[in-house]
Structures are given as structure tokens and as C-alpha cells.
Amino acid sequence: MAKELTPRSENYSQWYNDLVIKADLAENSAVRGCMVIKPYGYAIWEKMQHEMDRMFKETGHSNAYFPLFIPKSFLSREADHVEGFAKECAVVTHYRLKQNPDGSGVIVDPAAKLEEELIVRPTSETIIWSTYKNWIHSYRDLPILCNQWANVVRWEMRTRLFLRTAEFLWQEGHTAHATKEEAIEEALKMLGVYVDFAEKFMGIPVIRGIKSANERFAGAVETYCIEALMQDGKALQAGTSHFLGQNFAKAFDVTFMNKENKQEYVWATSWGTSTRLMGALIMTHSDDDGLVLPPNLAPYQVVIVPIYKNDAQLSEINEAVGKITAALKAEGISYKYDNADNKRPGFKFADYELKGVPVRLAIGAQDLEAGTVELFRRDTKEKKSIPLEGIEKYIKDLLPKMQQNIFDKALAYRQSVTREVNSYDEFKEEIEKGGFLLCHWDGTPETEEKIKEETKATIRCIPLDGDKTPGKCMVTGRPSAQRVVFARAY
Amino acid sequence: MAKELTPRSENYSQWYNDLVIKADLAENSAVRGCMVIKPYGYAIWEKMQHEMDRMFKETGHSNAYFPLFIPKSFLSREADHVEGFAKECAVVTHYRLKQNPDGSGVIVDPAAKLEEELIVRPTSETIIWSTYKNWIHSYRDLPILCNQWANVVRWEMRTRLFLRTAEFLWQEGHTAHATKEEAIEEALKMLGVYVDFAEKFMGIPVIRGIKSANERFAGAVETYCIEALMQDGKALQAGTSHFLGQNFAKAFDVTFMNKENKQEYVWATSWGTSTRLMGALIMTHSDDDGLVLPPNLAPYQVVIVPIYKNDAQLSEINEAVGKITAALKAEGISYKYDNADNKRPGFKFADYELKGVPVRLAIGAQDLEAGTVELFRRDTKEKKSIPLEGIEKYIKDLLPKMQQNIFDKALAYRQSVTREVNSYDEFKEEIEKGGFLLCHWDGTPETEEKIKEETKATIRCIPLDGDKTPGKCMVTGRPSAQRVVFARAY
């Protein structure tokens, strides 16, 4: 095979990097921490966008667009918010370059210094709430249900393709409501949308929960999240939805006349998912031969490779494939026919396995005679001969089964490494093995901090579903309302 | 009417601003020169994106994503390019804020100064060609056909919503080719896509042409463009496609092994359209009552307004409308049913006229009895009673007629103000009346500059189609290869 990956068992982290590069998903750019998303990787992200966007619109949201830049003073208005983001901001200070009088090239023109510095948005609560102030006067103007697809910048020191980059792409929903109850309902509704998207499209089982205070979004009253588990036993936060209370309304003085004719601060939510999901997708399903894509997000679900010895054979195969692709198209199945003659079939096979194409059809002269085609399933690596007649129906049946199989496999793995742990000694031992540990915790930031320092594990969430039996904290013995989910995380 | 616009005849510029604000398309933000695109305006932009994206993919292009930031040194590599963009750059110099020790808030942390400043992309040729260097080795790697949907920043001093903003949204295609001929063919192909999009979707007739050297993109060998004419007689450049020659390949040392086994520099194109098209759409079709949207780009093509005196009537109407909307949906016609009870029908009528909804249906108790509905066409303002039975077929027929009518009207206007002018004295008089003036020009930047200084008119393009008869320059009397298009422009 031309493009071998480091095996996962040897070095999981290197395997991930190899895969991202060799499957043409993304690469590092000349700008520190910023990535280039390559066409194949971007095509997967577009599929994700398309499905999420549809789900947002079905739940009543509209897209809008707010400025890239945030005046420095805006960021400061909400105390927790600025504390959370100030340390990793790209700051625009000037608006012009000029030729260096010494002829050495362009320099920043000192005469073009901004009166107030602008921050490249790390998230848009502040600029959006400064805008909402003009949109909201009465309860009749509420709710406002906006989403934005945008790039954001957080100056991370250690970056990894998709998982943590200085610039990333995301969507951020920002909603405004007349009551606390309605805002909480919205935050939970969008969490539900994220669960559906992760499970039905990405094939990733997730745990819905609430973040502890330590892990809460800077400026939120409550952060809800979905947590996924990667194959190496580490957790990955796959989406968050925040109930922001009246924090940003107060910071930007956004009030409305309620039905009782009284001025009240507006209630808010925000919720987001990002290109980080690409990392989750890769690490949940892929194997040592490359990417494994769920059919629902594959840029093309089927690849067809001809096997021929001469032009006459190729032209016969081309004709047969013409019928197959017409039938696939009629069934709404996406495909690619690769009859490029500068690569051997074996190379193509390996390359499409690397790229995670769900179904591969190989068709040669013998197949044509027999009226069959060789079908390869990327998820199970099964290969079998299938009648050409009705192949489109066979694949139409197969794709949802593969989608389900990928999900089931990820769920079975997660279940196999999710366990209850009752003592801190046991915890220290078990955390080394990875997976989700369900433990009692006394609810204090101090205990959480101690566990993090001593074991590198964090509370991923306080789960919303499942066992709610109270118990005693594994560290302090103090009362615990329910088990929470611990893991080491990306 | 609640939201009156300044009439065009009184103040065209004010009419435009009023319309953008009152039709909820966009507004100025707290950040100088940056706009907020509101949900209704963004929905139109999304429709544009959707159609253009489809056309790009049908012509073999893939989307990708490149970094927001460009190292300062990259911008300098192509001499014309840096000259063109250095004067209007947002420059990132620091990557952290910190609390001011005096307790007055956050300040830029002087310890977090970047070694090399980063420019917020004004366009992406430089960062993309620095990337392509690693993608291209042999003629087998070519062509590369990428497009990017992104935000860009050009620090304009005088800004106007959509027409000229510091940050705007756009698409930028960047392609790499093995031969000059192929690159020129690509640049012209994409110009053709822009013509199709402008004429068939936006309903805007455009002139295809070549820019004079003065108006060429900074770094291009040739700039092709489409030029539209606004209702006030001013021109607006609606899209450009550049043949970049080997300029960026040379600047970033991007070579390939050609079929003759020789190293050669790669040939390039780039092409773009932006949210400026929103300005063109508004100014081409709209009237003193508001926006006029071509049905192909309307967020909803039909709005239905119930007229009722009591709940019993409303509930009857709701039921009838349920059938209409089901029938519209089956025909692929988008609609909105507005039975909100906090606004009177007259207010709604005016509001949807302002928003440019192509077709309005008003339905009352009397209509129900008669089995009719009142249909209002936004483009002609005709109102008539139509049988309820088969209303969806009627509208399905009507929408393409409206699309054509809008285009025809714009074309007729353009033709009425496009004329040949043969002397410079006549030119000075005629240019005051607006419109396109077809004139002979000696081909020199000096003459073009003189005309611009004396009349504020620029050469919009050297048209690719139409009359190619040579003549004599209206200013200098020197030979002219063909008439070129002059106008004052946005």
C-alpha cells in the first residue's frame, strides 16, 4: 500500500495525524495553529453543515451574520467571559501597511493605529448581544432564534488538526427569550438536536449531561453538553448548549417590556459545534487501514473501480458502469467512478479504504460475463460477489445497515469501557485504562480540581439520563446526589 | 404605511439605505464599517450561495478552506498585489489580553507580540499559492479547482451596507493549470457561470468584458468582469474572473514537471463574487414601495394573509389555507402563512411589499364563499381575483413569467440608457445623465485617467461581445480597436 498509517496500537496520536494527512482531510498551514481543510475533508464538513442546518431550520432558527471583530471593551463587559477568553485572543491593532522607507518591504504603518483594538471573535455573545439591544423592545420581539456559520479564533498554544486549532469553523446559535423557562427549554432542545445529529448522522453514541462549574462556558449559568468516547478511551466534548441566564442582557443592557408591562432583562442561550467534530468522527470509527465514514456523511457513498487488461475491456466496463451509476443516481445514492488509467486497481482500493468510502464495487471482464460485481464493505471489510441486476437496491438496503452497524460498534465499545468505580484508589488504577468512569463526587470544585491534578481526569458531565441514586464521594466521603462521568479528555 | 421609504426621485442614496434597513436586510454594527446581515437578508444571500455553489460543482470545482490570516511577508511576495492591498489591511499584532494592573479593564499584553504580524485576508491568493506549492509536483496533479466561501476584510474608509464594507462575505475560486490556454479557458468559463447566475437567478442583465489595466486586479495579467447597471444610471461590477498568468506561481515558487519532463511554473486563475451582489439585486429591481425580489432568489415566493373579522372566520380560512400550502409545497413553491393577530392586514401588505415577496395571496370570508383568492404580483403591482381551485398551478406558471419580466424590465432600462458617444464634449454632457456610454478610446492609461479626473467616469470594460468596429479615440483622436463601456460606478 502506498500510504501506510502508523498502527493505532503503536502510537494512537501518530495514527490520527497520519490519517488526517494521508486521507487528504486537512494539513497544517504556514500560519501557526491554523489549518487548511482540503477538498475531501471539507466535503465531509459540508455534509455535516447541511444536515445540522436543516435541523436548525426545522426547529425554527434562521441564519444571520455578525462581525468578525469585537471591540475590546465589549469583551470586558461580562466578567467571567473576558476572564475565559482574554488569554487567547488575536488582536487587531492597525489598519494599514506601508513600504518601509529603507526599501526592505512592507511594515505596519504606525500612523494607522486603531483607537480601540479589535479582537477577532473567539465566540460572538458580546457582539450579538450589543446588536440584539436594538432588536428587542417588547415581548412581541421575542423569541429571537439566530444561528451563524462562521470562523472563530482562539490562540491555542498546542494545536492538533481539527481537535484544537487557532482558527476553526463552527456554528453558534444565539437566542433571546422572554422567560427563564423558555430559554432553558431552548438550550435543552438544541442539545437534543446535537444528540440526534451525533447519533444518526455521525454514528457516534453520546452522553447528554451538565458541565460542572469548573468546565462551564465563560459567562453561562449552565452548560449542557454531549460527550463522546474515542477508541483510545479518551473523551471528546462534541457539542455544548448554554443557558446564559440574563448575564449578557445585563452586560449590554438588553431589556424588554413584558406582558405585564414591566421592563425585564432578556434571557439567553447559545450553542455550538465545530470542525472539532471531524476529529470525533475520525477517532470514533476509523481503523489501521484508514477512515471509516458513516454512509450518511460520506462525500460519495460508493466508489466503482474497473479492472481491465485492454481498452476493449474498459469500454465494455464503462458501458456497464453507465447503467449502474444511472440506477444509483435514481436511488439517491452518491458515487464516484474512477477509471483513471494512471493508477493500478490495488492502489485505488487502498486509497479509497484510506478515504473511508463506505462501499466499493470492483468490476472486471469476468464479472461482466457472470453478471456480477465484487462488493466491498468498508466497515466490516467483507467482500462478496453480488448480481449486477438490482445492485442499486442491494446498496440502498445496505447503507442504512452499515450506518447502524457503525453506531452499534461504537456503542458496544463505549459500554465495554464504561464502569462504576467506588473508591479513589480504584479510580487511580482504572483511569489509566481509559473509558468513562461513573463515580460519586461531592459536587465541589476543590475535589474536582484535586482529582484533575492527581489523575488528569476531568468530570465530563453530570449525566441527564440513567442512574440517579445518591451515594458518597469517592474522595471525601461527603454526600453525592448521583454518579458523574469522569474521563481523560481531548 | 408604517415604514415609508424616501422616494428614489428625491434621494436615491437615501432610498437605498432606508430600504436595506427597513426591509430587515442588514444594518451597521458597533464595529466601524462592518455590517450585521439580518436573517431576511441572509436568507437571500443563502439562496445565492446555494445556486452558485451548485454551478461551481457542476463545472468540476470543490470547496476547501484556507486560513483567515496571512503572514505579512506573504503579501509582499507579489509586487502589484501588495501595492493593491497594503493600504487597507487589518493587522493582527498580538495574541493575548491581560488585566490592566491599575484595575481599569483589559489591555493588550505587550509580552504577547507576534514575531511576524498577520494580515486578515483581503483575498487569499498568497496563502493559497503557498499551500499549492506542496500539492503540485507533476502535470498529473493538475488542474486544481478549488473554491472557498469565506469572509474577507478590506479596511475601506467610506462604507455602505453591502456595497462597500470593511468585512464582507464572498466566494473566491483559485485554480491551478498546466497551460496558459487552459487557465484562460477556465477564467472565461467562470465568467460565463457568473453571467448565467446574474441573468437567470438575479434577473440582472450584464455586459461581459475585460478590464483596462487601470482597473485590473492587483496581481492579475487579465481581469474579466461582468458589469451591471443600476436604476440611477450608475454601473456596478458584479463579479470578476482573473487570469493570473504565472505571477503567483513565481512568487511562491510553484513549479511542476510537465508532460515533456520539464519544470515549468503553474498557471493560475482566481474569481469572486461577494455580498456586494445584494446591493446590485436591490438597486436593479426595487421601487419606492420596497424590494422587488426575483422569484428564483426569494426566501419565500408566496405570502398568504388572512382577512377576518372573528375567530370563526379565521379558523375557516386557516383550513382553506392548509390546502393551498400543501398544494404549493407539492409544486416546490416556497411560502409563508402569516396569520399573526397582532398586525392588521394593511400593515402586513405594506411589510411584504417592502420585503419584495413576489406573490401575495389575500383570502377573506367572501373569497372563501366565492371560491377565489386575491393575488397580488409584486413586480407589476397587479391585483386580481383568481379561482382557489388550481391556484398552485397558476402560481407555478406565474413565477417564471415574473422572473423573465423582471429581467426584461432591467434589460429595457439598460438599453434605453446605453448609447454611442463620439466626441468628448458630448461625453461630458451625456455622462451627467448616467447610463453606459460606448466610446472609442486610444487604449492608454493616461487618457483613461484624464477622463476619470475630469468626469468621474471609468472604463467599466472592453466588451467581449457586440460591435468590434475600430475608430478614433474621442479624446486624443488616436486609433481605437473597438468601443469600450464608460460609466460612473459604485
Side-chain angles (χ1 to χ4, degrees):
Chain A
M1 208 202 299
K3 298 184 169 183
E4 230 163 68
L5 304 178
T6 305
R8 286 166 294 175
S9 57
E10 196 180 305
N11 184 338
Y12 191 82
S13 172
Q14 189 59 47
W15 164 83
Y16 175 80
N17 290 341
D18 285 359
L19 178 47
V20 171
I21 299 292
K22 294 184 178 179
D24 278 340
L25 301 176
E27 64 185 38
N28 287 305
S29 77
V31 183
R32 207 197 59 80
C34 292
M35 66 181 159
V36 171
I37 308 180
K38 299 184 78 174
Y40 192 67
Y42 199 84
I44 301 169
W45 174 242
E46 276 184 308
K47 286 259 169 190
M48 291 188 188
Q49 283 190 300
H50 179 78
E51 296 301 342
M52 279 196 272
D53 196 67
R54 179 183 54 70
M55 293 167 100
F56 298 158
K57 284 174 178 157
E58 282 171 6
T59 45
H61 302 85
S62 300
N63 289 326
Y65 189 75
F66 298 88
L68 172 67
F69 298 127
I70 297 177
K72 194 188 66 179
S73 59
F74 280 28
L75 211 61
S76 317
R77 295 240 196 133
E78 215 287 333
D80 288 339
H81 194 68
V82 68
E83 181 66 25
F85 289 104
K87 287 175 202 129
E88 44 181 41
C89 279
V91 188
V92 176
T93 55
H94 292 74
Y95 58 85
R96 193 164 59 223
L97 299 174
K98 65 168 191 177
Q99 290 294 337
N100 194 338
D102 74 7
S104 65
V106 288
I107 54 168
V108 176
D109 185 345
K113 189 169 190 303
L114 289 170
E115 270 182 51
E116 180 179 7
E117 296 90 349
L118 296 173
I119 310 306
V120 180
R121 64 182 160 219
T123 180
S124 301
E125 278 77 6
T126 56
I127 191 78
I128 288 180
W129 279 86
S130 81
T131 306
Y132 280 180
K133 180 175 170 58
N134 304 316
W135 294 7
I136 301 169
H137 305 287
S138 138
Y139 69 92
R140 288 195 189 85
D141 301 319
L142 297 171
I144 292 177
L145 305 173
C146 281
N147 176 62
Q148 165 169 277
W149 290 96
N151 52 345
V152 282
V153 172
R154 298 177 187 176
W155 209 266
E156 302 278 358
M157 280 302 152
R158 286 189 210 161
T159 62
R160 288 193 69 189
L161 291 166
F162 290 125
L163 295 170
R164 198 172 289 278
T165 47
E167 181 192 16
F168 55 93
L169 303 184
W170 81 342
Q171 61 68 214
E172 47 182 325
H174 293 272
T175 70
H177 305 267
T179 67
K180 178 180 177 180
E181 294 67 34
E182 197 186 297
I184 292 175
E185 193 186 318
E186 165 79 8
L188 285 167
K189 181 197 284 178
M190 299 323 289
L191 188 73
V193 165
Y194 289 159
V195 171
D196 272 4
F197 174 72
E199 302 202 330
K200 292 179 187 157
F201 291 89
M202 301 187 67
I204 302 181
V206 292
I207 295 178
R208 298 185 325 143
I210 300 175
K211 284 285 182 198
S212 62
N214 280 2
E215 303 278 328
R216 200 178 281 152
F217 176 75
V221 172
E222 198 85 279
T223 287
Y224 303 98
C225 64
I226 56 172
E227 292 288 325
L229 193 70
M230 305 297 99
Q231 289 172 0
D232 62 346
K234 283 172 77 176
L236 189 144
Q237 174 182 298
T240 49
S241 181
H242 315 292
F243 167 58
L244 303 172
Q246 296 171 313
N247 292 350
F248 287 91
K250 284 178 181 163
F252 290 90
D253 192 30
V254 188
T255 61
F256 71 106
M257 187 72 80
N258 68 19
K259 285 191 183 174
E260 288 74 41
N261 237 11
K262 282 183 186 153
Q263 287 292 327
E264 190 181 344
Y265 284 112
V266 179
W267 299 87
T269 83
S270 68
W271 27 275
T273 58
S274 74
T275 38
R276 199 163 198 239
L277 286 177
M278 290 286 294
L281 187 74
I282 296 162
M283 288 203 291
T284 303
H285 305 305
S286 305
D287 62 27
D288 289 350
D289 292 332
L291 202 56
V292 174
L293 285 176
N296 288 350
L297 294 179
Y300 38 93
Q301 297 165 315
V302 177
V303 65
I304 307 171
V305 177
I307 315 226
Y308 57 95
K309 289 188 181 132
N310 51 50
D311 284 355
Q313 281 188 357
L314 178 60
S315 114
E316 258 185 273
I317 295 171
N318 283 344
E319 203 189 311
V321 170
K323 287 176 201 159
I324 299 175
T325 55
L328 290 175
K329 194 171 179 184
E331 293 289 352
I333 298 164
S334 55
Y335 60 85
K336 173 178 174 176
Y337 178 38
D338 183 357
N339 61 357
D341 65 356
N342 57 357
K343 282 166 195 151
R344 286 168 303 104
F347 181 93
K348 292 180 185 175
F349 286 9
D351 198 46
Y352 292 114
E353 281 176 47
L354 189 57
K355 289 202 159 77
V357 182
V359 172
R360 179 182 78 219
L361 300 179
I363 183 161
Q366 286 180 334
D367 294 301
L368 273 192
E369 250 173 63
T372 60
V373 59
E374 187 195 83
L375 184 147
F376 172 82
R377 266 179 80 154
R378 180 64 183 89
D379 62 337
T380 59
K381 297 189 185 162
E382 285 170 291
K383 211 187 301 193
K384 55 179 165 177
S385 185
I386 305 280
L388 254 178
E389 181 73 29
I391 182 74
E392 72 283 4
K393 304 278 183 206
Y394 184 90
I395 294 173
K396 196 176 169 70
D397 254 23
L398 180 62
L399 293 174
K401 281 183 198 152
M402 292 176 68
Q403 181 77 30
Q404 187 66 45
N405 176 56
I406 286 170
F407 176 80
D408 290 345
K409 205 172 148 188
L411 181 61
Y413 168 71
R414 188 188 79 187
Q415 284 169 340
S416 76
V417 294
T418 301
R419 61 259 189 226
E420 295 189 353
V421 166
N422 295 308
S423 81
Y424 193 35
D425 282 343
E426 191 190 352
F427 182 91
K428 287 176 184 163
E429 214 176 288
E430 287 297 318
I431 200 69
E432 296 298 329
K433 302 175 194 161
F436 283 144
L437 304 187
L438 307 174
C439 314
H440 282 294
W441 159 63
D442 63 15
T444 68
E446 294 73 28
T447 303
E448 185 178 3
E449 200 52 50
K450 173 186 162 75
I451 296 170
K452 187 176 177 182
E453 269 170 31
E454 293 176 357
T455 68
K456 293 183 192 141
T458 49
I459 296 177
R460 302 317 305 153
C461 68
I462 302 154
L464 288 166
D465 312 305
D467 186 14
K468 302 276 184 184
T469 320
K472 284 184 175 170
C473 176
M474 64 172 172
V475 178
T476 63
R478 282 186 288 195
S480 151
Q482 68 170 91
R483 286 179 189 272
V484 301
V485 181
F486 280 92
R488 287 183 181 154
Y490 279 95
Chain B
M1 209 200 301
K3 298 185 168 183
E4 231 163 67
L5 305 176
T6 304
R8 286 167 294 175
S9 56
E10 194 180 308
N11 184 337
Y12 191 80
S13 171
Q14 188 60 47
W15 165 82
Y16 175 80
N17 290 342
D18 284 359
L19 177 48
V20 172
I21 299 293
K22 294 185 178 178
D24 279 339
L25 301 176
E27 63 185 39
N28 287 305
S29 77
V31 182
R32 207 196 60 79
C34 293
M35 66 182 157
V36 171
I37 307 180
K38 299 183 79 173
Y40 191 68
Y42 199 85
I44 300 169
W45 174 242
E46 275 184 308
K47 286 258 169 191
M48 291 189 188
Q49 283 190 299
H50 179 77
E51 297 301 342
M52 280 196 270
D53 195 67
R54 179 184 53 71
M55 293 166 101
F56 298 157
K57 283 173 179 159
E58 282 171 6
T59 45
H61 303 84
S62 301
N63 289 326
Y65 189 77
F66 297 88
L68 171 66
F69 298 126
I70 296 177
K72 194 188 67 182
S73 59
F74 280 27
L75 211 62
S76 317
R77 296 242 197 130
E78 216 287 333
D80 289 340
H81 194 68
V82 67
E83 181 65 26
F85 289 104
K87 286 174 202 127
E88 45 182 39
C89 279
V91 188
V92 176
T93 55
H94 292 75
Y95 57 85
R96 194 164 60 224
L97 300 173
K98 65 169 192 176
Q99 289 294 337
N100 194 336
D102 73 6
S104 65
V106 288
I107 54 168
V108 177
D109 184 345
K113 190 171 189 305
L114 290 170
E115 270 182 50
E116 179 179 7
E117 297 89 349
L118 296 172
I119 311 306
V120 180
R121 65 182 160 218
T123 180
S124 301
E125 278 77 7
T126 56
I127 190 79
I128 287 180
W129 279 86
S130 80
T131 306
Y132 281 179
K133 180 175 171 57
N134 304 315
W135 294 7
I136 300 169
H137 305 287
S138 140
Y139 69 91
R140 288 195 189 87
D141 301 320
L142 296 171
I144 292 177
L145 305 172
C146 280
N147 176 62
Q148 164 170 278
W149 290 97
N151 52 346
V152 283
V153 172
R154 298 178 187 176
W155 209 266
E156 303 279 358
M157 279 302 152
R158 284 190 210 163
T159 61
R160 288 192 69 188
L161 290 167
F162 291 124
L163 296 171
R164 197 172 290 277
T165 47
E167 181 192 15
F168 55 92
L169 303 184
W170 80 341
Q171 60 68 217
E172 46 181 327
H174 293 272
T175 69
H177 305 268
T179 66
K180 178 179 176 179
E181 294 67 34
E182 197 186 298
I184 292 175
E185 193 186 315
E186 165 78 10
L188 285 167
K189 181 198 283 177
M190 299 323 289
L191 188 72
V193 165
Y194 289 159
V195 171
D196 272 4
F197 174 71
E199 301 202 332
K200 292 179 187 156
F201 290 89
M202 301 187 68
I204 302 182
V206 291
I207 296 179
R208 297 184 325 142
I210 299 176
K211 284 286 181 197
S212 62
N214 279 3
E215 302 278 328
R216 201 178 280 152
F217 176 75
V221 172
E222 199 82 279
T223 289
Y224 303 97
C225 65
I226 55 173
E227 292 287 326
L229 194 70
M230 305 297 100
Q231 289 173 1
D232 61 346
K234 284 173 78 175
L236 187 145
Q237 174 181 300
T240 49
S241 181
H242 315 293
F243 167 57
L244 303 173
Q246 295 172 313
N247 292 350
F248 287 92
K250 285 178 181 162
F252 289 91
D253 192 30
V254 188
T255 61
F256 71 106
M257 187 72 81
N258 68 19
K259 283 190 182 173
E260 289 75 42
N261 237 12
K262 284 185 187 152
Q263 288 292 327
E264 191 182 342
Y265 285 111
V266 179
W267 298 87
T269 84
S270 67
W271 27 276
T273 58
S274 74
T275 36
R276 198 162 200 241
L277 287 177
M278 291 286 295
L281 186 74
I282 296 162
M283 286 202 292
T284 303
H285 305 304
S286 305
D287 63 25
D288 290 350
D289 292 333
L291 203 55
V292 174
L293 285 176
N296 288 350
L297 294 179
Y300 37 93
Q301 298 165 313
V302 178
V303 64
I304 307 171
V305 177
I307 315 225
Y308 57 96
K309 289 189 180 130
N310 51 51
D311 284 356
Q313 282 188 356
L314 177 60
S315 114
E316 259 185 273
I317 295 170
N318 284 344
E319 203 187 311
V321 170
K323 287 177 202 158
I324 299 174
T325 55
L328 291 175
K329 195 171 179 183
E331 294 289 352
I333 298 163
S334 55
Y335 60 86
K336 174 178 172 177
Y337 178 39
D338 183 357
N339 60 358
D341 65 355
N342 56 359
K343 284 166 193 150
R344 284 167 305 104
F347 181 94
K348 292 180 186 176
F349 286 10
D351 198 46
Y352 292 114
E353 282 177 46
L354 189 57
K355 290 202 158 77
V357 182
V359 172
R360 179 183 76 221
L361 301 179
I363 183 163
Q366 286 179 335
D367 295 299
L368 273 192
E369 248 173 67
T372 60
V373 60
E374 187 194 83
L375 183 147
F376 172 82
R377 269 178 76 156
R378 180 64 183 89
D379 61 337
T380 59
K381 296 190 187 163
E382 284 170 293
K383 212 188 301 191
K384 56 179 164 177
S385 185
I386 305 280
L388 253 178
E389 182 75 31
I391 183 75
E392 72 283 2
K393 304 279 183 207
Y394 184 90
I395 294 173
K396 196 177 169 70
D397 255 24
L398 179 62
L399 293 174
K401 282 182 198 153
M402 292 177 67
Q403 181 78 30
Q404 187 65 44
N405 176 55
I406 285 171
F407 175 82
D408 290 346
K409 206 172 147 187
L411 181 61
Y413 168 72
R414 188 187 79 187
Q415 285 168 339
S416 76
V417 295
T418 300
R419 62 259 188 222
E420 295 188 354
V421 166
N422 295 310
S423 81
Y424 193 36
D425 281 344
E426 191 190 351
F427 182 90
K428 286 177 185 162
E429 215 176 287
E430 288 298 316
I431 199 69
E432 296 298 331
K433 302 175 194 161
F436 283 144
L437 305 187
L438 307 175
C439 314
H440 281 294
W441 159 64
D442 63 17
T444 68
E446 295 73 29
T447 304
E448 185 178 3
E449 200 53 50
K450 173 186 162 77
I451 297 170
K452 187 176 175 182
E453 268 171 32
E454 293 176 356
T455 68
K456 291 184 195 142
T458 49
I459 296 177
R460 302 318 305 152
C461 68
I462 303 155
L464 288 167
D465 312 304
D467 186 14
K468 302 276 183 184
T469 320
K472 285 184 177 170
C473 176
M474 65 172 172
V475 178
T476 64
R478 284 186 287 196
S480 152
Q482 68 170 91
R483 286 179 189 271
V484 301
V485 182
F486 281 91
R488 287 184 181 154
Y490 278 96

